[in-house]
Amino acid sequence: MPPTVNDLYVDHESTIPANEGDQVKLFVREHVAAHPGSPRRPVLMLHGRSIPAAAGFDLPYKKYSWAAELAKAGFDVYIMELQGSGLSTRPKMHTHKNVSPAPAQRALLSPNPNATPYTGPVEYAAQLNNSRSDWDEVGTVVDFVLRRTGATKLDLIGWSAAAQQLGPYAIQNPGKVRSLFLTAPIFPPNGRGSKPGTDFDAPVPLPVTTVGAFDYPMTVSSKAGLEAAWEKDLDCPDQRENGMVEEVWKAIIAVDTVGADWGGPTPGRPEGLNRIRNSYWWGWNRTTVKLHGVLGDKVPVCIVYGEHDTIINTSPDLGLVYFSTTELYRNIPGPKKLMIRISCAGHQIVWERKAKLLHTMSEHWLKHGKVEGAETGSYARDEDGALTLLEE
């Protein structure tokens, strides 16, 4: 029997300053296990900064749906969308007037939705999400999944910037998290800290309205932008199947009914733009990752990333945007941690030919706490499937 798929909306009281206190809807897609077990094993998957979860984890093309493959393996899988993404509530994102005022951004909006380019200020001069609102939304969905399945804990899977939500959430709620599986995680060792004397309180009053990078709710991205970013990580023959950009873009626009009417050079014939929430994050750095000794102990952690990923490893002189998967692995305090670098894969590994390998690795981790026999340590996996232990 194939997995059962249900689209759900979870009620949540918003803690985003733009709509604080409002009752909003968080989109959750449920894949009920094809071979249900007792007790049930729920898994919650969270998207990164710019790609809706349904497009990232449930691409309706061949066998690229990670969620469907895990459900076939016996897990109840839940894909969630934070506010500002996919089919969840998107406050302040209905109007093109709240897109970043950067000229390159505004240029994407002409002639669609308006023939006359909009050059005025944003209508809501602040970022949308923040770390606390994201953690609160994850918490609401975690509690919903636990109630729905009758489980006491679940496993968390995150891609890219989801690490900035799931890592701190697990540290603050270890009693609800069985394990953490991070694909291409964003980790800024020098990232913003919390309010002095606290673990995770906001370091500044919210919303942030005085810094240029945070005085608008969203940016937009085109199909050409998606393809250009992806091309930077393609360094092996046949790393990506032909036609994948088109399939991914269709999935992104399918869950963005407003953005679908934006962009494109021909008036009245929009090509679609991906609306991307603008966030202010803190509480994920080399200090907080060690807090209370949770990660790698009460919550085992597995990290998997592609060798050609140009996003998650950047120069140490970049300050807040210095990212390093190696630093994340080193700073996880407990011994129950595993990291594997996969050959011929990039940041978009979930849509590349190595996606099936990623599915299998996550399944093994969830079932056995091991991947290809490895339980702890940092490894490189070559094209022949051999694991080589790396220096730590």
Side-chain angles (χ1 to χ4, degrees):
M1 183 178 67
T4 302
V5 181
N6 301 302
D7 283 352
L8 311 168
Y9 286 90
V10 178
D11 292 326
H12 173 74
E13 183 175 323
S14 179
T15 53
I16 292 177
N19 63 344
E20 188 167 9
D22 288 358
Q23 290 295 315
V24 299
K25 301 290 186 180
L26 302 178
F27 176 76
V28 174
R29 178 166 292 166
E30 174 187 60
H31 286 252
V32 179
H35 309 289
S38 183
R40 296 169 70 181
R41 280 292 304 273
V43 176
L44 178 61
M45 309 181 84
L46 181 66
H47 59 87
R49 183 185 68 87
S50 61
I51 302 298
F57 299 127
D58 199 21
L59 188 70
Y61 182 67
K62 295 186 177 179
K63 292 189 176 182
Y64 282 94
S65 173
W66 190 354
E69 294 302 309
L70 285 179
K72 290 177 186 176
F75 298 95
D76 288 336
V77 183
Y78 295 82
I79 303 169
M80 74 165 289
E81 300 277 9
L82 296 165
Q83 281 194 82
S85 181
L87 296 170
S88 288
T89 299
R90 293 197 183 206
K92 307 301 181 183
M93 296 177 72
H94 62 286
T95 173
H96 63 288
K97 294 180 180 181
N98 277 335
V99 170
S100 165
Q105 284 280 294
R106 293 289 175 85
L108 293 173
L109 297 164
S110 178
N112 299 302
N114 286 343
T116 303
Y118 178 69
T119 58
V122 296
E123 292 186 342
Y124 179 76
Q127 83 292 338
L128 190 64
N129 311 71
N130 60 70
S131 288
R132 176 50 61 192
S133 68
D134 285 349
W135 301 332
D136 290 344
E137 290 171 23
V138 170
T140 289
V141 175
V142 166
D143 290 345
F144 168 81
V145 170
L146 294 179
R147 289 194 304 269
R148 190 170 178 86
T149 61
T152 57
K153 289 188 176 185
L154 48 60
D155 298 277
L156 297 174
I157 293 180
W159 177 25
S160 190
Q164 300 194 114
Q165 286 82 52
L166 299 187
Y169 177 82
I171 293 169
Q172 295 173 81
N173 301 274
K176 298 179 181 181
V177 181
R178 180 181 286 106
S179 77
L180 191 56
F181 187 96
L182 300 176
T183 301
I186 298 294
F187 179 70
N190 306 321
R192 294 183 195 87
S194 304
K195 181 179 179 181
T198 72
D199 284 352
F200 290 105
D201 287 352
V204 296
L206 298 174
V208 176
T209 60
T210 58
V211 182
F214 301 104
D215 57 4
Y216 51 87
M218 63 175 163
T219 58
V220 289
S221 177
S222 65
K223 177 183 172 183
L226 169 71
E227 185 168 16
W230 199 342
E231 291 285 340
K232 294 178 182 178
D233 284 4
L234 298 181
D235 204 38
C236 290
D238 299 323
Q239 186 175 324
R240 178 185 71 196
E241 283 192 61
N242 292 332
M244 287 303 293
V245 173
E246 287 73 19
E247 293 297 332
V248 169
W249 189 250
K250 282 192 298 184
I252 291 172
I253 294 304
V255 294
D256 192 344
T257 55
V258 172
D261 290 331
W262 294 359
T266 306
R269 294 180 60 186
E271 294 180 353
L273 293 175
N274 179 22
R275 294 177 297 157
I276 301 169
R277 63 202 181 97
N278 188 25
S279 303
Y280 183 85
W281 289 325
W282 68 87
W284 185 232
N285 53 50
R286 62 167 56 95
T287 298
T288 54
V289 74
K290 301 174 184 175
L291 282 173
H292 313 303
V294 169
L295 297 185
D297 183 19
K298 294 177 182 177
V299 178
V301 181
C302 181
I303 299 167
V304 175
Y305 69 101
E307 68 168 329
H308 301 308
D309 194 327
T310 60
I311 293 177
I312 63 172
N313 291 300
T314 60
S315 174
D317 62 5
L318 291 179
L320 290 176
V321 290
Y322 162 45
F323 303 143
S324 172
T325 51
T326 302
E327 285 269 11
L328 172 56
Y329 177 81
R330 287 175 177 167
N331 282 280
I332 291 172
K336 300 174 185 176
K337 57 182 180 179
L338 175 65
M339 184 165 72
I340 299 178
R341 186 184 70 208
I342 299 178
S343 64
C344 287
H347 195 69
Q348 318 297 351
I349 186 174
V350 297
W351 304 315
E352 295 177 356
R353 290 189 185 272
K354 293 295 177 69
K356 180 59 180 175
L357 175 61
L358 182 64
H359 302 166
T360 301
M361 285 183 164
S362 64
E363 179 186 341
H364 289 177
W365 172 257
L366 295 175
K367 286 184 174 179
H368 311 297
K370 300 178 182 180
V371 176
E372 299 189 354
E375 190 170 4
T376 63
S378 175
Y379 295 84
R381 187 188 190 277
D382 65 23
E383 280 291 88
D384 295 324
L387 290 183
T388 301
L389 185 63
L390 301 174
E391 267 189 60
E392 299 177 11

